[in-house]
Amino acid sequence: MTGVSPLELLDVDHLLDDDERTIQHTVRRFVDDQVRPHVAEWYEHELTEDAVRQLARDAGKLGLLGMHLEGYGCAGTNAVSYGLACMELEAGDSGIRSLVSVQGSLAMFAIWKFGSEEQKQRWLPGMAAGELIGCFGLTEPDYGSNPAGMRTRARRDGTDWVLDGTKMWITNGTVADVAVVWAQTDDGVRGFLVPKGTKGFSAPKISRKLSLRASITSELVLDGVRLPAEAMLQEAMGLRGPLSCLSEARFGIVFGAIGAARDCLDSTLEYANSREVFGKTLSSFQLTQAKLADMALELQKGFLLAMHLGRLKDGERLSPQQVSLGKLNNVREALAIARECRTILAASGITLEYPVLRHANNLESVLTYEGTSEIHQLVIGQALTGEAAFT
Ligand code: FAD
């Protein structure tokens, strides 16, 4: 006896147009062919820099990098298509979706939105092709949720800028050809483009992670890094600059988390249909079916929420508070689904033979980055009450 896939129960496919469906299926095939066969190995031994470069080039060929941006070699798709791509990538692994999100929504978006024409011409076509990799340095060792306190400083020296400080937990830092670095200046927070190899700049890798192992995470060290005046992102003034980039990336996570949860549920259904306990298949027990039904329910609610936000974004009506709602709900529920799936797989669920604990461990990072759950609760709380409770 076979059932329907969890996302088919509500026939949500008809919410997509033909282009969106084609993009979704293309990315799903890419994940099946180029991610799934290797992902357990990448997770066990950590993703190498060569593998990141290869993945970036492959994603570039498919047009996935900066895909929702216009011009400069970017595909210029709608927001829903970008979301669906994130969903399929994260069904493979949150680390692979992170590579694409950081490249497109953080590093490329910052340059595309706030950079000069010269900066755009220099960096964006190579980044869209995956030949150049970018990272986004906002978080610091002592300032994560509260970037306003950042200590990284950029001071003027003649027409040059000199940057000092440390950034922490930066995705793709070690492998990046260009780092978008946010620093405090006399005029507030400003963004700077720091090319790899600039004197005084290094990006050591952070090791011994238990989460997001198929992704490189790094420290950025800026020790008297001298940059010409043209390295600054002219149009980004104050924290609104980096925060608007984060809103872009969070949108991708709203869809992405659903991909990870779907993958957990798909593999768990298959397992429950074949595993026998007490002389019957695991899937035939009422307790198992109650778990599966509740998970399918949350998965579909999460997908509908993501689609609603996607349509709002395509109508240019999406607010940061709405993105907070989506990120908070979908990552929280995806993590709950991954953990519940693990209980159905029991001992088998703790290995890399199945994706569920890998996804659950990854989602711990996803719950934290791009605004922790608590920060999103505070954003929503402020929208509901009119009271800011951050401090
Ligand atoms: P803290 O800010 O120290 O928070 C600690 C705890 O306090 C959390 O539970 C938090 O929710 C809670 N808290 C904080 N403020 C409040 C409050 N006002 N009220 C109640 N509770 C509060 N950053 C980048 O800039 N670029 C990247 O590419 C990047 N990639 C990352 C990749 C990974 C794998 C990870 C794990 C992180 C990455 N980050 C990146 C950093 C991430 O954005 C931060 O970890 C996140 O913002 C939280 O900061 P923190 O870890 O310093 O926690």
Side-chain angles (χ1 to χ4, degrees):
M1 199 90 91
T2 52
V4 297
S5 159
L7 271 184
E8 285 166 16
L9 266 180
L10 282 182
D11 193 16
V12 287
D13 194 52
H14 86 274
L15 298 174
L16 310 181
D17 69 24
D18 286 346
D19 286 348
E20 291 162 350
R21 221 172 277 129
T22 303
I23 288 171
Q24 181 181 19
H25 290 156
T26 306
V27 182
R28 189 177 291 189
R29 246 195 332 273
F30 167 72
V31 169
D32 285 345
D33 295 346
Q34 262 135 291
V35 176
R36 286 189 195 283
H38 312 289
V39 70
E41 171 74 15
W42 290 335
Y43 194 88
E44 187 170 2
H45 300 293
E46 295 195 352
L47 197 59
T48 62
E49 288 186 37
D50 285 349
V52 173
R53 289 217 168 268
Q54 189 57 50
L55 274 166
R57 278 194 289 264
D58 291 342
K61 279 195 195 106
L62 273 188
L64 300 181
L65 303 175
M67 66 186 273
H68 59 310
L69 307 178
E70 294 281 349
Y72 308 97
C74 302
T77 69
N78 69 359
V80 165
S81 297
Y82 171 58
L84 292 167
C86 289
M87 183 166 99
E88 296 306 325
L89 291 167
E90 197 146 355
D93 192 90
S94 303
I96 310 307
R97 197 268 307 138
S98 298
L99 167 67
V100 171
S101 289
V102 169
Q103 178 85 347
S105 287
L106 294 179
M108 290 175 73
F109 180 80
I111 298 169
W112 182 84
K113 176 96 178 155
F114 302 118
S116 64
E117 190 53 37
E118 196 190 339
Q119 287 167 331
K120 293 178 196 181
Q121 296 288 356
R122 175 173 176 194
W123 296 108
L124 291 180
M127 292 173 86
E131 295 298 332
L132 298 174
I133 293 178
C135 70
F136 183 89
L138 180 64
T139 304
E140 299 192 352
D142 293 329
Y143 293 93
S145 302
N146 177 21
M150 72 172 69
R151 295 212 182 99
T152 298
R153 187 134 192 103
R155 65 179 165 81
R156 280 275 193 196
D157 184 20
T159 57
D160 287 352
W161 289 97
V162 179
L163 272 64
D164 286 284
T166 308
K167 298 288 175 183
M168 195 68 181
W169 309 115
I170 307 306
T171 303
N172 292 343
T174 310
V175 70
D177 300 286
V178 59
V180 177
V181 172
W182 301 93
Q184 202 62 253
T185 72
D186 289 342
D187 299 328
V189 171
R190 305 300 299 258
F192 296 88
L193 301 184
V194 184
K196 191 185 183 97
T198 305
K199 193 161 172 261
F201 175 60
S202 58
K205 187 174 142 184
I206 297 172
S207 304
R208 309 188 77 191
K209 287 184 300 172
L210 297 175
S211 169
L212 229 69
R213 290 173 59 78
S215 169
I216 291 179
T217 315
S218 319
E219 196 180 338
L220 304 183
V221 181
L222 301 126
D223 183 8
V225 171
R226 182 173 287 275
L227 298 170
E230 312 83 76
M232 190 170 79
L233 294 171
Q234 285 296 339
E235 303 300 322
M237 272 168 252
L239 264 185
R240 262 186 312 166
L243 294 185
S244 68
C245 303
L246 290 176
S247 204
E248 290 293 307
R250 283 169 189 156
F251 170 78
I253 293 174
V254 177
F255 277 86
I258 296 301
R262 186 193 72 201
D263 195 53
C264 289
L265 199 44
D266 279 344
S267 63
T268 300
L269 269 169
E270 201 180 315
Y271 184 86
N273 277 334
S274 61
R275 173 79 176 170
E276 286 207 359
V277 293
F278 292 93
K280 291 199 305 187
T281 53
L282 185 50
S283 59
S284 67
F285 287 88
Q286 289 182 343
L287 279 177
T288 309
Q289 291 199 1
K291 288 181 183 181
L292 293 171
D294 285 349
M295 290 191 285
L297 196 60
E298 287 308 326
L299 187 74
Q300 291 177 80
K301 280 152 68 178
F303 182 74
L304 291 175
L305 176 57
M307 281 299 296
H308 175 63
L309 298 187
R311 295 292 179 222
L312 284 180
K313 187 163 167 53
D314 278 326
E316 296 179 12
R317 287 185 296 139
L318 183 65
S319 72
Q321 290 87 344
Q322 290 166 331
V323 179
S324 284
L325 268 171
K327 202 246 173 189
L328 175 63
N329 182 77
N330 285 9
V331 181
R332 190 160 66 182
E333 295 306 328
L335 184 54
I337 288 172
R339 288 176 177 155
E340 189 79 307
C341 284
R342 217 286 305 155
T343 69
I344 294 177
L345 270 74
S348 299
I350 72 159
T351 71
L352 278 169
E353 291 303 308
Y354 296 92
V356 295
L357 195 58
R358 174 170 56 78
H359 281 308
N361 283 352
N362 284 337
L363 288 164
E364 293 287 351
S365 285
V366 182
L367 195 71
T368 286
Y369 68 27
E370 307 282 350
T372 65
S373 295
E374 293 78 9
I375 291 300
H376 292 300
Q377 284 174 317
L378 292 172
V379 169
I380 297 163
Q382 182 178 9
L384 291 172
T385 65
E387 301 272 359
F390 294 89
T391 53

